[in-house]
Amino acid sequence: SAVISQKPSRDICQRGTSLTIQCQVDSQVTMMFWYRQQPGQSLTLIATANQGSEATYESGFVIDKFPISRPNLTFSTLTVSNMSPEDSSIYLCSVGQATNEKLFFGSGTQLSVL
Amino acid sequence: GENVEQHPSTLSVQEGDSAVIKCTYSDSASNYFPWYKQELGKGPQLIIDIRSNVGEKKDQRIAVTLNKTAKHFSLHITETQPEDSAVYFCAAKIPGGSQGNLIFGKGTKLSVKP
C-alpha cells in the first residue's frame, strides 16, 4: 500500500486562527479523502478531495470552514479555518484507488484549539 | 442512511485467548466491510476486509465472518498477543457512494493482558 505522510503530526492553536494540514502520498492515487476523529469517537468523512476541481463535502461540513486543495494525484491540503475549541480533533487523510474499495489512512494530525 | 453499531466498547482478554468483536449494519445493500486497527497516536490500519459475496475470510490469526441475512459481521482474533492491544473499528460501505463513504462503528478498545 502507499505511504501516506501528514504534516503537522500535532499542533496547538489559538481560537480564531487557521491551520493547514498537508497530505503527501508516495505514489499516484485516484481518490483522496479527509476524515475527522473527535476525541474518543469514531471517524467521520469531511470531504472528497477532487483533483483540479472543488472538493465534495459531506453534510455538516462546508468549504468556508474546511477549504481543501488537491493540485495533483499525490498531494492534498485541508485547512481548518477560524478555529474554535470544538474543532479539537484528529484529522486524517485517506487514499484509495478506483480499482478497488480498500481505503488507507495517514497517521493523522492531532489538533488542539485553546 | 446506514448505521453501524459495534460491541463491545471495551474488551479485556488474557494473552493466548480469543477475542471477538461484533458489528451490525442497517442498510441491507451495503456490500463492503473493512476492519481497522488503531494504535495510540497512529492512524487506522486496514487489517482485513470482506465483500458481501463472501461469508468468511481468514488471514493468519484474524478472521472476519459475515451474515447478510442478520446484517452482522464479526472480527475474530485467535491466540491474542499484547501487541494486539488497540482500538478496532468496523465499517460498512454505503452502496452507490464513493469509496470514502464508509460508515464506521464507534470502536472497541481491546486490551490483551500478558
Side-chain angles (χ1 to χ4, degrees):
Chain A
S1 60
V3 175
I4 307 164
S5 302
Q6 269 189 248
K7 291 181 183 179
S9 57
R10 57 178 62 239
D11 207 341
I12 300 173
C13 301
Q14 297 296 319
R15 72 169 65 212
T17 63
S18 297
L19 175 72
T20 295
I21 302 167
Q22 298 181 0
C23 178
Q24 178 74 57
V25 191
D26 70 344
S27 60
Q28 293 186 344
V29 292
T30 314
M31 315 294 289
M32 294 184 80
F33 306 92
W34 288 97
Y35 280 79
R36 182 175 73 182
Q37 185 177 23
Q38 293 178 299
Q41 300 297 313
S42 190
L43 292 81
T44 301
L45 180 63
I46 297 172
T48 301
N50 299 309
Q51 187 206 354
S53 64
E54 193 171 286
T56 304
Y57 291 84
E58 297 301 307
S59 176
F61 298 98
V62 294
I63 187 171
D64 289 348
K65 176 67 175 177
F66 298 102
I68 287 170
S69 78
R70 188 178 174 193
N72 55 50
L73 293 177
T74 63
F75 186 78
S76 178
T77 65
L78 168 75
T79 299
V80 186
S81 304
N82 187 25
M83 287 183 286
S84 66
E86 293 71 37
D87 293 321
S88 297
S89 291
I90 298 173
Y91 291 85
L92 294 153
C93 171
S94 69
V95 305
Q97 299 289 13
T99 51
N100 68 68
E101 293 126 326
K102 296 182 189 295
L103 199 63
F104 301 98
F105 286 86
S107 54
T109 297
Q110 173 90 57
L111 171 62
S112 297
V113 184
L114 304 178
Chain B
E2 174 69 286
N3 181 50
V4 175
E5 294 194 359
Q6 184 171 346
H7 298 280
S9 56
T10 60
L11 178 60
S12 182
V13 300
Q14 207 67 35
E15 182 178 359
D17 288 351
S18 295
V20 181
I21 303 170
K22 298 180 179 181
C23 290
T24 61
Y25 59 99
S26 59
D27 192 328
S28 57
S30 290
N31 57 9
Y32 176 67
F33 308 93
W35 285 89
Y36 289 87
K37 174 185 180 183
Q38 186 174 30
E39 296 174 90
L40 196 62
K42 297 184 178 180
Q45 175 194 359
L46 177 65
I47 57 172
I48 197 166
D49 56 6
I50 193 168
R51 301 196 79 247
S52 57
N53 59 350
V54 176
E56 182 175 358
K57 185 177 179 180
K58 288 187 74 173
D59 183 3
Q60 299 181 346
R61 296 187 297 108
I62 293 174
V64 57
T65 59
L66 171 65
N67 183 327
K68 288 193 299 182
T69 302
K71 290 188 285 187
H72 69 70
F73 55 113
S74 301
L75 178 70
H76 305 253
I77 306 174
T78 58
E79 301 172 24
T80 54
Q81 301 166 4
E83 49 266 39
D84 294 328
S85 297
V87 179
Y88 291 81
F89 291 96
C90 64
K93 182 176 178 296
I94 299 175
S98 77
Q99 187 176 4
N101 262 333
L102 293 177
I103 303 300
F104 285 83
K106 292 186 182 300
T108 297
K109 183 175 182 180
L110 173 64
S111 300
V112 180
K113 299 183 178 179

